[in-house]
Amino acid sequence: MAIGDILHQTPVTTRDPYTGCTVIRLTQPDHTSHHMYFYNRMVTSDSSRLLYCAEVDGRRNLYLMDLATGDGVQLTEGDGLDDYGAMISADDKSIYYQQDRKVWQLDLATLQRTCLYSAPEGWDCGNWGMSDDNRYLVMTETRRDTLPDLTGKKGWEFFPLTCAAKPLCHIVYVDTQTGKQHIVVEDRCWFGHAQLRPGDPDTIMFCHEGPYDMIDARLWLIQSDGSNYRCARPQPKDVIITHEFWMPSGDKMAYVYRKADDGSTETIRMMRPETLEEELFMPCLPYAHFICDHQRRWFVGDCQGQETPIHLQTGKDKSQEVRNDFIYLVDIANKKEIPLCYHGTSWTTIHGTPQDAHPHPCFTPDGTGVVFTSDKEGKPCVYLAKTADVTEKGE
């Protein structure tokens, strides 16, 4: 297949047997498919088209699916694609994606692309984000010769090894209109998940990546000129803090927090970047990933069914038993969790990358659906769960 070709999928609609939620399987379980990383804007403003990845004939490429028909236009080809790191532009007219250590903008009308940024020789780039208007881009880069040798390593083995290596990393800030770029900060520390604050592209949130008991602290903030580099929250070695994100208005960042080994309940917490004062919002189930809708009415999270951190899960103990492997909605106003549907994924790494069987739930812009990935029917598929039935019952 080539750029511009159409990949035909046949959506299959079912009712979740546990919640009654309408769930549409958008892709087929005979090949691996997944949506973009859940931080990224992957559905158009009218909630009609989805940016996703499908592996066809052994190659992964990006497609833009018409959710009404299941047909997807192929947008990329060739090697070196970051198949999770792509997003739809704010005006829905283009996509941004990473391939061959470059960030590209592809016009959806012409399918012509323009290179916006190229990583320097010897450096790998990734974990990038953009401002609301797509003018500013921030990304982490790692010098390749400071990474550990991962020959023969599989799955999540890379995670502690990379953290222990303390690779040389920096954060790059790019003005996509002028082409100007500069390094914000550089350190012998594994950086990840760079995110620009909504409404304030001068403020960058990022993490010190790695297992919870090997890092100094996860949450960090810095200004785009390199000033005010600060740890947002100290982190004892027995505490797991993960999958921080900006609330839609940018007034707070949110994350989940729990003790690793004392059986205590996980909690959702928030923090204002100006004061670094932490708000304990509510107790919650053990979510691997969670995020907020645009209307700020709901959170959505993927429950793990067990409290073992993701990087320590093997999937070997996965049986036919239905555990608490559900997608949950969290009613923000009432601080109430509502099961949306059973994701039933294995969390394994057997499909190609450690992320492929992660649900990574996220909302459509209109809030009527939650997109997630699961391998419960074979290879990873992309699903769309309709929220109306469940939310109406939960109110």
Side-chain angles (χ1 to χ4, degrees):
M1 293 186 67
I3 291 174
D5 287 350
I6 302 297
L7 178 62
H8 300 281
Q9 302 278 5
T10 304
V12 176
T13 301
T14 59
R15 285 277 183 178
D16 184 273
Y18 307 102
T19 67
C21 172
T22 299
V23 179
I24 305 169
R25 193 190 71 209
L26 299 172
T27 62
Q28 312 309 308
D30 60 352
H31 64 276
T32 293
S33 302
H34 63 76
H35 59 301
M36 297 300 98
Y37 203 65
F38 68 109
Y39 291 155
N40 292 4
R41 187 177 190 273
M42 70 192 78
V43 181
T44 53
S45 300
D46 61 1
S47 297
S48 69
R49 293 182 293 170
L50 169 73
L51 180 63
Y52 79 107
C53 169
E55 184 175 312
V56 179
D57 297 328
R59 287 185 176 273
R60 295 192 180 195
N61 280 297
L62 301 180
Y63 297 83
L64 189 66
M65 177 190 289
D66 182 331
L67 291 173
T69 66
D71 289 347
V73 180
Q74 184 171 329
L75 304 177
T76 60
E77 60 186 8
D79 298 325
L81 177 70
D82 176 359
D83 53 310
Y84 282 89
M87 65 186 72
I88 298 173
S89 64
D91 61 8
D92 295 330
K93 294 181 179 180
S94 60
I95 69 159
Y96 299 90
Y97 69 99
Q98 181 186 324
Q99 188 173 24
D100 293 328
R101 299 186 303 107
K102 296 179 174 67
V103 176
W104 302 87
Q105 180 178 10
L106 181 135
D107 186 299
L108 291 174
T110 65
L111 299 184
Q112 298 298 308
R113 68 179 187 173
T114 302
C115 182
L116 301 179
Y117 175 75
S118 180
E121 190 64 34
W123 291 77
D124 293 331
C125 56
N127 281 263
W128 53 287
M130 299 189 81
S131 58
D132 303 325
D133 60 0
N134 303 123
R135 174 168 181 175
Y136 299 103
L137 180 152
V138 63
M139 69 189 317
T140 64
E141 293 185 333
T142 306
R143 204 173 78 186
R144 203 173 305 122
D145 62 6
T146 66
L147 288 165
D149 181 4
L150 298 176
T151 304
K153 306 299 181 184
K154 298 180 179 179
W156 283 98
E157 291 178 278
F158 81 95
F159 202 53
L161 291 173
T162 304
C163 182
K166 296 186 181 298
L168 182 63
C169 292
H170 58 224
I171 291 178
V172 178
Y173 194 84
V174 181
D175 184 333
T176 64
Q177 287 188 10
T178 67
K180 292 182 178 179
Q181 56 189 261
H182 66 272
I183 294 174
V184 178
V185 62
E186 184 173 272
D187 201 354
R188 288 301 299 251
C189 178
W190 189 16
F191 292 164
H193 296 303
Q195 302 173 62
L196 292 176
R197 184 183 186 185
D200 172 22
D202 186 48
T203 300
I204 304 166
M205 175 171 61
F206 66 103
C207 74
H208 285 187
E209 189 64 279
Y212 68 91
D213 55 352
M214 293 179 65
I215 58 175
D216 50 356
R218 172 137 180 136
L219 303 180
W220 295 81
L221 293 162
I222 195 168
Q223 303 312 115
S224 63
D225 63 0
S227 64
N228 204 13
Y229 184 16
R230 66 266 195 207
C231 176
R233 192 195 191 285
Q235 185 171 339
K237 294 297 183 184
D238 63 342
V239 166
I240 299 173
I241 294 174
T242 194
H243 276 308
E244 63 288 341
F245 64 90
W246 290 110
M247 293 294 285
S249 64
D251 61 323
K252 297 177 182 178
M253 50 196 205
Y255 47 92
V256 289
Y257 169 108
R258 69 178 166 92
K259 292 290 189 70
D261 50 15
D262 69 353
S264 60
T265 301
E266 183 163 296
T267 54
I268 295 172
R269 304 190 178 203
M270 300 186 195
M271 181 182 293
R272 293 186 182 275
E274 294 85 2
T275 64
L276 302 185
E277 293 180 4
E278 184 177 71
E279 171 192 354
L280 198 168
F281 182 69
M282 64 175 281
C284 66
L285 291 160
Y287 299 133
H289 314 89
F290 90 120
I291 203 158
C292 187
D293 70 345
H294 294 282
Q295 295 76 26
R296 204 165 173 156
R297 185 179 180 189
W298 304 95
F299 290 128
V300 65
D302 48 2
C303 199
Q304 296 177 233
Q306 58 177 304
E307 295 192 0
T308 305
I310 286 177
H311 71 281
L312 298 178
Q313 292 186 25
T314 65
K316 293 179 180 178
D317 61 342
K318 183 73 173 177
S319 67
Q320 297 303 309
E321 174 190 2
V322 175
R323 300 182 300 191
N324 197 9
D325 287 314
F326 282 79
I327 303 290
Y328 278 84
L329 297 177
V330 179
D331 183 332
I332 294 175
N334 297 308
K335 299 185 179 181
K336 178 183 178 182
E337 292 174 305
I338 304 171
L340 176 64
C341 64
Y342 180 66
H343 65 71
T345 199
S346 69
W347 302 97
T348 60
T349 62
I350 62 173
H351 303 292
T353 80
Q355 302 283 349
D356 288 343
H358 288 190
H360 295 147
C362 56
F363 290 97
T364 57
D366 62 8
T368 64
V370 167
V371 178
F372 68 96
T373 294
S374 172
D375 64 354
K376 64 181 179 179
E377 296 186 71
K379 293 185 178 180
C381 295
V382 183
Y383 294 82
L384 178 64
K386 295 294 187 175
T387 60
D389 293 342
V390 172
T391 56
E392 289 171 3
K393 288 192 297 185
E395 291 176 342

